Amino acid sequence: MGLLNAFVRPILLFLTLPLNILSLGMFTILLNAAIFFTAGYIIPGLMIRNYPWAIAGSLLFSVFSTSLSWLFHERRQFKIGFHLWRF
């Protein structure tokens, strides 16, 4: 799944860019579901019956991935000094 997201997804996102712009980014959900559905054919233990389940699985995978990245993301503190008067 990681290899598909790393190599195939950027190419597909570039090729479907006009459709993605017209749909205001909602086509990305269908593209993620297509990649998830393709992973079901490649991975022997993963079986996805139809396209709506692929959409649900890709949305669940996205939520899980986003929450893990928020949880383990290193937060940096930026100190910005703004002085109105300099003495």
Side-chain angles (χ1 to χ4, degrees):
M1 182 92 178
L3 291 174
L4 286 173
N5 276 335
F7 295 113
V8 177
R9 186 172 185 262
I11 295 169
L12 289 177
L13 279 175
F14 180 73
L15 291 175
T16 60
L17 187 62
L19 190 59
N20 211 355
I21 291 172
L22 287 175
S23 68
L24 300 174
M26 296 303 287
F27 188 74
T28 307
I29 295 171
L30 297 176
L31 190 64
N32 286 340
I35 292 172
F36 198 75
F37 200 71
T38 305
Y41 283 115
I42 295 172
I43 301 171
L46 182 65
M47 186 173 125
I48 301 169
R49 295 198 181 267
N50 51 21
Y51 206 71
W53 284 110
I55 293 173
S58 70
L59 286 174
L60 184 67
F61 187 77
S62 296
V63 167
F64 184 69
S65 175
T66 302
S67 63
L68 282 180
S69 69
W70 281 348
L71 184 66
F72 294 113
H73 181 68
E74 179 184 337
R75 304 200 194 289
R76 294 184 182 181
Q77 300 268 336
F78 293 105
K79 294 183 180 180
I80 299 174
F82 181 72
H83 300 283
L84 292 175
W85 299 278
R86 290 190 178 242
F87 295 107

